[in-house]
Amino acid sequence: MNRYERRPVAATEAELEYGDGEFRVIRPGSFVRCGVTGVPIPLDDLRYWNVAAQEAYASPQAKLARLGIKLGG
């Protein structure tokens, strides 16, 4: 392996710092857990998080559930 090749990231939980529109990796890993459902979210699929709560969400519905907003009737 030379210095330009990326080492594979183990299938472990990452630790992130969530910011506005971006996140910073504190501890490398391949996924984070949804703050509502607990399901693993691959970092490549991470789209929803809360900066103030510093937690990730698997879907828009999970984020709305955390905010106490119910969908449908």
Side-chain angles (χ1 to χ4, degrees):
M1 178 181 295
N2 65 39
R3 66 181 176 161
Y4 298 107
E5 291 178 323
R6 293 182 63 187
R7 292 184 179 170
V9 177
T12 58
E13 190 168 354
E15 182 180 343
L16 305 180
E17 180 181 309
Y18 302 100
D20 292 327
E22 62 187 19
F23 56 82
R24 185 170 69 100
V25 177
I26 305 297
R27 185 179 67 229
S30 59
F31 69 93
V32 292
R33 294 208 178 266
C34 176
V36 175
T37 64
V39 301
I41 309 164
L43 293 186
D44 289 341
D45 296 337
L46 180 58
R47 302 284 182 268
Y48 310 101
W49 60 82
N50 184 317
V51 176
Q54 287 295 296
E55 64 182 3
Y57 304 110
S59 66
Q61 293 80 9
K63 183 163 185 172
L64 291 173
R66 174 61 83 208
L67 296 173
I69 300 171
K70 295 184 180 182
L71 297 176

